């Protein structure tokens, strides 16, 4: 018996092996042998993708109409808000009137208008309705790059108008409101 003797390594027969324990990489079979005897199809290899698509389909079938309805409601509300913002308010008209001769096309660009262009001489006319008021404004001139020739405020009550450059628009509005109140009696 010499000193080179090593005892034989044996596994403990009383220790149970865990069948669910992963084998170490060194003990794993090569890929060719792992799938031996198994047939793999598209469905078995893409289970997660198929599950996601089925859930998405169910969501669209059951909740799609509700979400589409909600989106259309949001779009309509946004369009209505934009339309309301596009009308000129009376306070905006008075603010522009305070500018007097300094008022220009840019002051009216943000508001909804019907634009009419005369092709022969290039005359541009913008008609703007004042929101919730019986007044409207007509801005006119030769092209929007030049200052407007006229800016007139018209009353639907009396049919009269004033020149925004030369007349007192505030007094004109108050006078027409007074006429409206006293004609209604």
């Amino acid at each position: 018996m010499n000193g080179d003797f090593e005892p034989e390594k044996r596994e403990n027969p009383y220790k149970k092996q865990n069948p669910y324990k992963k084998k170490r990489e060194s003990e794993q079979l090569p890929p060719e042998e792992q799938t031996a005897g198994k047939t793999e199809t598209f469905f078995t290899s893409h289970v997660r993708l198929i599950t996601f698509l089925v859930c998405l389909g169910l969501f669209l079938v059951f909740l799609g109409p509700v979400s589409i309805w909600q989106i259309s409601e949001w779009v309509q509300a946004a369009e209505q808000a934009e339309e309301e913002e596009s009308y000129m308010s009376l306070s905006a008209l008075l603010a522009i009137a305070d500018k007097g001769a300094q008022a220009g096309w840019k002051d009216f660009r943000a508001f909804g208008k019907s634009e009419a262009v005369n092709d022969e001489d290039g005359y541009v006319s913008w008609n703007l309705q004042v929101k919730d008021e019986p007044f409207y404004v007509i801005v006119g001139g030769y092209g929007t790059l030049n200052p407007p020739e006229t800016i007139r405020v018209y009353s639907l009550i009396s049919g009269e108008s004033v020149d925004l450059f030369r007349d007192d628009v505030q007094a004109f509005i108050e006078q027409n409101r007074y006429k409206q109140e006293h004609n209604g009696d």
Side-chain angles (χ1 to χ4, degrees):
M1 307 227 171
N2 63 25
D4 294 333
F5 176 75
E6 285 186 32
E8 207 176 293
K9 289 187 179 179
R10 289 191 271 170
E11 288 188 34
N12 184 349
Y14 302 107
K15 185 178 179 183
K16 290 186 177 181
Q17 295 291 326
N18 184 353
Y20 302 107
K21 185 176 178 183
K22 262 187 155 178
K23 292 184 178 182
R24 292 184 203 127
E25 287 182 28
S26 61
E27 295 175 358
Q28 284 185 351
L29 297 173
E32 305 85 39
E33 293 179 20
Q34 285 180 357
T35 59
K38 296 180 183 177
T39 54
E40 191 165 313
T41 64
F42 175 81
F43 298 108
T44 58
S45 63
H46 295 91
V47 172
R48 290 182 183 161
L49 175 65
I50 293 168
T51 304
F52 170 74
L53 291 176
V54 167
C55 291
L56 181 63
L58 289 173
F59 172 78
L60 291 176
V61 166
F62 292 111
L63 297 177
V66 173
S67 60
I68 290 172
W69 172 77
Q70 185 65 39
I71 291 169
S72 68
E73 288 291 319
W74 291 337
V75 168
Q76 287 176 353
E79 288 174 353
Q80 185 177 11
E82 183 178 305
E83 185 177 301
E84 287 179 7
E85 289 176 6
S86 70
Y87 284 110
M88 177 185 288
S89 66
L90 188 60
S91 60
L93 174 61
L94 293 173
I96 294 170
D98 287 340
K99 290 183 174 184
Q102 301 301 320
W105 294 102
K106 64 180 167 89
D107 297 315
F108 298 98
R109 286 194 196 282
F111 306 114
K113 57 196 148 292
S114 61
E115 186 173 332
V117 178
N118 184 341
D119 292 334
E120 292 177 17
D121 57 0
Y123 190 81
V124 178
S125 175
W126 288 354
N127 301 327
L128 300 102
Q129 178 66 41
V130 178
K131 182 181 179 187
D132 299 330
E133 295 288 338
F135 302 102
Y136 64 98
V137 181
I138 296 181
V139 183
Y142 291 96
T144 58
L145 298 177
N146 300 324
E149 299 286 321
T150 66
I151 302 175
R152 296 199 66 82
V153 180
Y154 291 85
S155 169
L156 296 172
I157 300 165
S158 64
E160 299 172 343
S161 69
V162 292
D163 188 342
L164 187 127
F165 293 137
R166 294 179 198 86
D167 299 323
D168 186 2
V169 175
Q170 176 86 28
F172 175 73
I173 290 171
E174 289 174 9
Q175 179 185 29
N176 278 281
R177 283 190 172 166
Y178 180 79
K179 285 180 184 179
Q180 183 180 24
E181 288 174 6
H182 287 78
N183 284 343
D185 291 338

